[in-house]
Amino acid sequence: MRITSKGQITIPQQVRSELGLESGDDVEIVVRDGVATILPTNGPIGRGRRIVESLLGRGDVALSTDEIMALTREP
């Protein structure tokens, strides 16, 4: 494989088939001891879920949801 100027690579069809990857799927690349591993992120805990879970409980606004929504509405 060759890396493009944008840092992109094409995952060979055989590898995509073996991993069950399809167009539009998200993958994660994990690097350990200089070795990169491609992991599919489909399933119950994908990238989006991990981001949301990392942010849960970190808010410090003392407003209720209704009060926050009222601030986004025009008077």
Side-chain angles (χ1 to χ4, degrees):
M1 288 181 274
R2 179 167 283 137
I3 299 175
T4 69
S5 62
K6 293 182 178 184
Q8 300 169 331
I9 62 169
T10 299
I11 301 171
Q13 178 60 45
Q14 179 182 352
V15 174
R16 293 193 314 263
S17 294
E18 192 169 326
L19 292 174
L21 297 174
E22 297 180 2
S23 178
D25 286 352
D26 288 327
V27 296
E28 182 177 353
I29 298 178
V30 177
V31 179
R32 289 191 187 109
D33 299 323
V35 176
T37 304
I38 300 170
L39 301 171
T41 57
N42 56 358
I45 301 185
R47 178 176 175 260
R49 169 73 74 190
R50 280 194 305 278
I51 291 170
V52 169
E53 287 178 355
S54 73
L55 296 173
L56 285 175
R58 296 181 66 186
D60 59 358
V61 178
L63 298 174
S64 70
T65 302
D66 289 335
E67 291 169 323
I68 293 170
M69 292 303 294
L71 292 172
T72 65
R73 296 188 183 107
E74 291 186 33

